Amino acid sequence: MKFNTKTIHGNQQHDPSTGAVMPPIYQTSTYAQTSPGNHKGYEYSRTGNPTRTALENAFASIENGKFGLAFGSGLAAIDCVLKLLNPGDEVISTNDLYGGSYRIFTKIFENFGVKFKFIGMENAGNIENYISKKTKLIWVETPTNPMMNIIDIEAVSKVAKKHQVLLAVDNTFATPYLQTPLDLGADIVMHSATKYLGGHSDVVMGALIVDNKELADKLYFIQNSCGAVCGPMDSFLVLRGIKTLHVRMQRHCENGKAVAMFLVNHPKIEKVYWPGFENHPNYEIAKKQMRDFGGMVSFVTKGNNIKDAFKIVENLKIFTLAESLGGVESLSGHPASMTHASIPKEEREKTGVVDSLIRLSVGIEDIDDLIADLNQALNLI
Ligand SMILES: *Cc1c(COP(=O)(O)O)cnc(C)c1O
């Protein structure tokens, strides 16, 4: 089955009791048993719920994995992965990453004795310098947030396999429309389904997808033991979102490209970060590993002035200034004071997240309106 069919039909079946084409929202916490332990596969909705099962099956299908798990948020999914570890274990992570991931790593799991090393992974060979006997997990985000660096997943997976370290990829930005990390050798794919998978800015949710049964069982055990699951209504919404993922992503990519091209030619712009530019330092990897370049674009204005950045985001009319990304509507963000405020200024600036950086999540509105909006805001500085 091809991707555009999987988003709609992958691992799905009509409701066995009524033939309902969409799975009902099974708004129930528990399930009747005919005698103790004798039930129809569901006992309690933390452990499993049919609407969530339908969604978890869809997650697995679109990421080319065998097992999917749904959580109450992307961070709950990350939390589940980190609970595979023990005190003393080490994690190597990309240094340019989602602020909340950095926060859970350093402010929560370091307290439990897990150590984190944040490094550039554009050159996968560099990772070996940081691997020790205690290294248990490599954490990769690509494209990175918000600098749009591209990490070669296949090259990193070779290093991970050589040292028998798990490789997890946060695929939130790319989505399986653009890249399927399990096919490139990753062990775990993670999503903030809040973003493109849900796609309509109406739900917070996380996902994990794996191919290995033993690993899946460990993760299911943690999911059930720690309980950060999502409810049936949210499962239904994300399942509905996934059905249009491919058409939305196609438009996100088209509009993202047009916005990147407009900005790069604009006299007030210093630099645009978008992996589809031929002079992007990781362009060749992006072209090899991704089917298109996505709808996320970051830029810095000339003069690197925070006042200009604020003026732009405050005056955009169609782009809403808001946290998050990946919805049908265009959003703007100021990483230094919003998504990345939890990362210390020196750390942040080392990776390029300067005070004047603006990040756009380009939506699927008419491109002429989006460009006119950017143009009027840029003319104010
Ligand atoms: C939003 C986001 C997360 C966290 O997900 P939540 O659903 O907000 O908990 C993790 N990684 C990336 C890349 C994100 O954009």
Side-chain angles (χ1 to χ4, degrees), residues 169-238:
V169 176
D170 181 337
N171 208 26
T172 301
F173 265 41
T175 84
Y177 176 82
L178 296 179
Q179 71 192 14
T180 39
L182 296 179
D183 294 336
L184 301 171
D187 301 290
I188 303 173
V189 172
M190 174 261 151
H191 275 279
S192 169
T194 313
K195 317 294 168 55
Y196 287 107
L197 298 191
H200 296 76
S201 308
D202 51 10
V203 62
V204 173
M205 167 152 340
L208 297 178
I209 301 97
V210 300
D211 211 35
N212 176 290
K213 171 90 168 65
E214 200 185 321
L215 183 56
D217 286 343
K218 285 184 189 164
L219 293 168
Y220 281 127
F221 183 81
I222 297 167
Q223 182 195 40
N224 186 41
S225 302
C226 298
V229 294
C230 52
M233 178 71 198
D234 287 355
S235 300
F236 177 88
L237 286 172
V238 172

Side-chain angles (χ1 to χ4, degrees), residues 71-78 97-101 103 139 141-145 170-173 190-195 203-207 296 324-325 339 359:
F71 295 86
S73 70
L75 278 165
I78 296 175
L97 85 163
Y98 179 69
S101 305
R103 184 175 54 202
W139 188 270
E141 238 180 71
T142 179
T144 65
N145 177 12
D170 181 337
N171 208 26
T172 301
F173 265 41
M190 174 261 151
H191 275 279
S192 169
T194 313
K195 317 294 168 55
V203 62
V204 173
M205 167 152 340
M296 298 300 297
S324 201
L325 62 109
T339 47
R359 189 190 77 179

